[in-house]
């Protein structure tokens, strides 16, 4: 899970413009939010490796994963390709992969950090 978080955090810094498109227009400071969530992913990746912080980090990661899911749904509805920062992405079929994957991440987080 830690490696996955570090990998996805890199995307926040490499594909900032495209990830900014994933945030609805009504929300200000999109670029700052993308950088902030990338930094949060790095902090969570470190936190789950520290035994004294695993449970707290696990719960925070579960909350984080639930909070970013709407951005993924919004991006699919708008056909956003975050890597190219265009509106010609896969659209709703992307959710057939993303939502089950998000469930896997949630379960993985729970059983690797909280459930002992």
């Amino acid at each position: 899970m830690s490696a996955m978080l570090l990998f996805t955090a890199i995307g926040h810094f490499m594909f900032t413009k495209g990830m900014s498109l994933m945030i609805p227009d009504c929300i200000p400071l999109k670029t700052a939010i993308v950088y902030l969530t990338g930094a949060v992913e790095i902090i969570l990746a470190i936190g789950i490796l520290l035994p004294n912080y695993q449970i707290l980090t696990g719960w925070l990661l579960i909350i984080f994963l639930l909070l970013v899911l709407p951005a993924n749904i919004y991006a699919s509805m708008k056909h956003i390709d975050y890597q190219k920062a265009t509106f010609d992405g896969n659209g709703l079929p992307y959710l057939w992969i993303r939502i089950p994957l998000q469930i896997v991440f949630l379960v993985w987080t729970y059983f690797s950090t909280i459930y002992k």
Side-chain angles (χ1 to χ4, degrees):
M1 180 57 75
S2 183
M4 185 279 300
L5 286 169
L6 291 174
F7 178 75
T8 58
I10 291 169
H12 289 248
F13 301 99
M14 290 180 57
F15 307 113
T16 306
K17 183 177 178 184
M19 288 198 161
S20 294
L21 295 175
M22 296 174 68
I23 301 171
D25 291 333
C26 63
I27 298 175
L29 305 170
K30 294 179 188 185
T31 301
I33 291 171
V34 172
Y35 286 137
L36 177 65
T37 54
V40 166
E41 287 183 356
I42 293 169
I43 292 166
L44 292 171
I46 294 167
I48 60 176
L49 296 176
L50 302 172
N52 290 340
Y53 297 98
Q54 277 184 345
I55 294 173
L56 173 61
T57 304
W59 283 116
L60 293 173
L61 179 53
I62 286 170
I63 292 167
F64 178 81
L65 291 169
L66 292 171
L67 288 174
V68 298
L69 185 58
N72 288 291
I73 294 169
Y74 177 83
S76 70
M77 291 171 52
K78 297 292 183 178
H79 294 266
I80 295 171
D81 182 330
Y82 74 89
Q83 292 179 336
K84 296 188 288 182
T86 61
F87 292 93
D88 61 356
N90 292 330
L92 291 177
Y94 169 75
L95 293 179
W96 289 108
I97 296 168
R98 183 59 194 191
I99 290 177
L101 185 60
Q102 198 79 354
I103 293 168
V104 168
F105 291 156
L106 289 164
V107 171
W108 183 5
T109 298
Y110 180 78
F111 282 106
S112 67
T113 62
I114 298 165
Y115 182 81
K116 305 267 181 183

